[in-house]
Amino acid sequence: MQVVFLGTSTSYGVPVIGCPCATCVSTDPRNKRTRASVYIETDEGMKLLIDTGPEVRLQSLREGVTHVDAVLYTHFHADHTAGIDDLKAFNAALGGILPCYGDAPTGASLRERFGYAFTGTPWIGLIPHIRYTAVDVAPFYVGGTCIQPIPMRHGSIRATGYRIGSFAYLTDTSGIPATSRALLHDLDAVAIDALRWEPHPTHLSVPEALAPIAEIQPKHAYLTHVSHALAQEATNRRIGPDVEVAYDGLRLGL
Ligand SMILES: [Zn+2]
Ligand SMILES: [Zn+2]
Ligand SMILES: [Zn+2]
């Protein structure tokens, strides 16, 4: 399977508008981050998008994503959903309705905010047209690809991580329950939320992200949804050789 990090930033993006900090003025292209999302081509040939942030169109153009079979939503926050209108291009590529999956509160929020995408009328090209299926903890299939939801705490709400084969994507979490950590063994790679070094009420800090990584022992681990507090090179030097900060455009062949 192939994983492409479309975006790796927290909700502000990096650089942050108007911020003069060393990360935000850095010339390292890896310190230029769009909102968190990944694109996955599975061993069974399914093309999956996890989340549709505000830059989904630019991310898709940048990485050559031309076709999506389904979208998996982690939760309803705007930095993960605000680009939903651009799914109409993938409706066009599919020639029909785009299946989307996520938990029930995310579906309710999308329906409330983007009701026009759920009309059920024949798709004619002007608007996105999605069919939302609520998932809980049970594995489900997209085409021949088995997808395991990973329930996580995200402040006062729940976010859903996803395990697909030997890869797990765990963004926007302030805690991964033991029942979910039990679903994360024998991974080749994991991407996990790490906002900054200091604790935060709705996201893991770097030390809090390294703890479950040490427990589940994936072959490789990548920090994502990072803020401008985590400059690429300096952070990589601090966290050691087996973990690295993801960056926009990073590709994993698993
Ligand atoms: Zn987020
Ligand atoms: Zn900054
Ligand atoms: Zn969030």
Side-chain angles (χ1 to χ4, degrees):
M1 71 190 289
Q2 169 113 181
V3 176
V4 184
F5 286 83
L6 298 178
T8 56
S9 89
T10 189
S11 61
Y12 277 82
V14 180
V16 175
I17 292 172
C19 182
C21 82
T23 309
C24 287
V25 301
S26 163
T27 55
D28 184 342
R30 295 171 301 170
N31 285 326
K32 304 209 184 303
R33 304 180 188 278
T34 57
R35 267 53 75 89
S37 175
V38 288
Y39 169 74
I40 299 171
E41 290 187 12
T42 73
D43 289 340
E44 296 80 19
M46 287 293 107
K47 297 174 166 64
L48 308 174
L49 203 52
I50 303 187
D51 290 332
T52 56
E55 288 117 345
V56 63
R57 172 179 166 273
L58 297 172
Q59 293 166 335
S60 298
L61 290 169
R62 190 191 73 213
E63 299 300 337
V65 176
T66 58
H67 189 101
V68 170
D69 293 303
V71 179
L72 313 179
Y73 279 105
T74 60
H75 64 306
F76 56 76
H77 285 162
D79 55 321
H80 299 262
T81 56
I84 196 169
D85 197 69
D86 287 323
L87 289 180
K88 59 192 172 190
F90 299 122
N91 284 121
L94 265 182
I97 299 175
L98 184 61
C100 297
Y101 301 84
D103 68 10
T106 300
S109 174
L110 291 177
R111 228 174 270 272
E112 185 185 324
R113 293 183 293 147
F114 306 101
Y116 65 92
F118 293 79
T119 58
T121 55
W123 185 75
I124 56 167
L126 301 176
I127 55 174
H129 193 171
I130 71 177
R131 182 180 60 242
Y132 192 89
T133 303
V135 298
D136 193 21
V137 296
F140 61 97
Y141 280 84
V142 174
T145 296
C146 183
I147 299 169
Q148 172 66 61
I150 309 289
M152 306 180 297
R153 291 188 298 277
H154 180 29
S156 62
I157 68 164
R158 195 178 102 162
T160 306
Y162 293 97
R163 176 177 184 155
I164 301 163
S166 63
F167 175 72
Y169 184 70
L170 309 171
T171 196
D172 287 61
T173 178
S174 50
I176 305 169
T179 48
S180 290
R181 297 199 302 276
L183 301 169
L184 296 170
H185 292 292
D186 302 316
L187 291 171
D188 285 332
V190 65
I192 188 166
D193 181 345
L195 186 75
R196 61 188 191 186
W197 287 96
E198 294 75 29
H200 186 275
T202 61
H203 293 277
L204 297 177
S205 65
V206 174
E208 288 167 340
L210 295 179
I213 291 170
E215 179 188 327
I216 64 179
Q217 300 201 327
K219 288 201 180 95
H220 299 282
Y222 301 87
L223 306 184
T224 191
H225 207 280
V226 306
S227 76
H228 61 156
L230 300 183
Q232 181 76 22
E233 273 300 329
T235 307
N236 278 345
R237 279 198 299 272
R238 269 180 84 175
I239 57 181
D242 300 327
V243 184
E244 63 179 290
V245 184
Y247 53 89
D248 288 26
L250 172 64
R251 287 173 179 253
L252 311 178
L254 302 171

